[in-house]
Amino acid sequence: MALSISSFVLRRAVRVLVVLASVLALTFLIFHVLKPELFHDPRPMAVQLWAFLKGVFLHFDLGRSWTQGHRRVSSMVLDGLPADLSLFAGGIVLGTAGGVACGAVCGLRPRSLVSRALEGVATVAICAPVYWVGLMAIFLFAPDIGSLPIPFVGGQGVYQPLTKDPLHWLQGLVLPWIVLAAPLWGMCLRMMRISIGEALEQDFMRTAAGKGLRPRTILRRHAVPAGAAPAISLAGVQSVMVVSNALLLERVFNIPGILRMTTESMGSVEGHGTVDYPLLIGIVLVGTLLIVAANLAADTVQAWLDPRVRT
């Protein structure tokens, strides 16, 4: 029996909390086993783990950074999360929506010149390293150093919080969104092209045509939703890749998110060699939260398109 959308989302939300707690617990155990010299707590491991999870989920206490002036990591997370979320959400939405739209074009007219051009661009978008693409985008289109500057597009350091300056917020994210969305766009395009081609061959398509529905109506109501579901599911799976690329692009475009501090947390900057465990836990928390939120959104949209998913 299919669940309602609200019941489906609630059930998935419970799984999100379980996944989040599991990832944090696993990170805690890995570091306590592999790097015991970083910790000086004589209590049993189970007691430490319970205290850690209770502190995170009940009090949002992640400790103080060991390398960033003993700042509270929870404050650093709250300061950087809006930038992380802005970059990540824009990249996911742009890549998925653009890939589904262009994939529908390729699936409906596979031999057209436009379709072949889009598939060629998709191949490049999937294969090109995102860090290199980001640098090339700055060198080409940034208004201060670009060879082909675009007036509205911002370069490095332009980002401002949405609540402070909406225009600079948008300017600072246009290029990062495009670069971050590119690989996901290429993957969703390919998936949509394949799935919509398969959907057009299904029996329910012939049944709909036999009932006298217009071809445009059949495409809009049946073919596109059936083809979009696998592409949207793929976007959720590839959210891990998007988070990995986001932490690189935050450095390239100087976006003040918490993900950009991954190298500092691992002791890879200025040769200090100290693993900033509390900061790393904060970064793991944000990264995991973005990934599970993207998967929850993808599952919800997929369940809306295909009620069979709600069972």
Side-chain angles (χ1 to χ4, degrees), residues 9-166:
V9 172
L10 181 61
R11 189 174 68 176
R12 283 292 194 271
V14 173
R15 294 185 183 181
V16 163
L17 293 176
V18 173
V19 170
L20 195 59
S22 300
V23 170
L24 290 178
L26 183 60
T27 304
F28 175 92
L29 293 173
I30 288 175
F31 271 88
H32 277 70
V33 171
L34 299 182
K35 291 284 186 179
E37 66 275 8
L38 297 177
F39 311 96
H40 306 283
D41 192 336
R43 294 179 298 175
M45 186 71 71
V47 176
Q48 295 183 51
L49 177 59
W50 172 248
F52 165 73
L53 292 176
K54 185 170 65 173
V56 172
F57 287 99
L58 295 184
H59 308 291
F60 194 44
D61 183 9
L62 298 168
R64 293 183 179 271
S65 170
W66 297 347
T67 61
Q68 304 296 317
H70 296 284
R71 291 180 59 194
R72 293 185 64 86
V73 175
S74 56
S75 299
M76 298 172 67
V77 168
L78 292 177
D79 290 341
L81 184 59
D84 295 320
L85 185 58
S86 297
L87 177 62
F88 177 79
I92 283 282
V93 172
L94 185 60
T96 306
V100 167
C102 294
V105 172
C106 295
L108 296 174
R109 298 180 178 179
R111 298 182 181 180
S112 68
L113 182 61
V114 172
S115 297
R116 293 182 180 182
L118 287 173
E119 291 181 19
V121 175
T123 301
V124 175
I126 294 171
C127 298
V130 68
Y131 192 87
W132 175 82
V133 174
L135 290 174
M136 292 302 101
I138 292 174
F139 292 149
L140 287 174
F141 306 118
D144 47 355
I145 62 174
S147 303
L148 303 170
I150 301 176
F152 185 75
V153 170
Q156 291 180 314
V158 178
Y159 175 88
Q160 293 290 333
L162 176 62
T163 54
K164 182 178 180 180
D165 191 334

Side-chain angles (χ1 to χ4, degrees), residues 206-213:
R206 289 189 286 269
T207 301
K211 290 181 178 180
L213 293 178

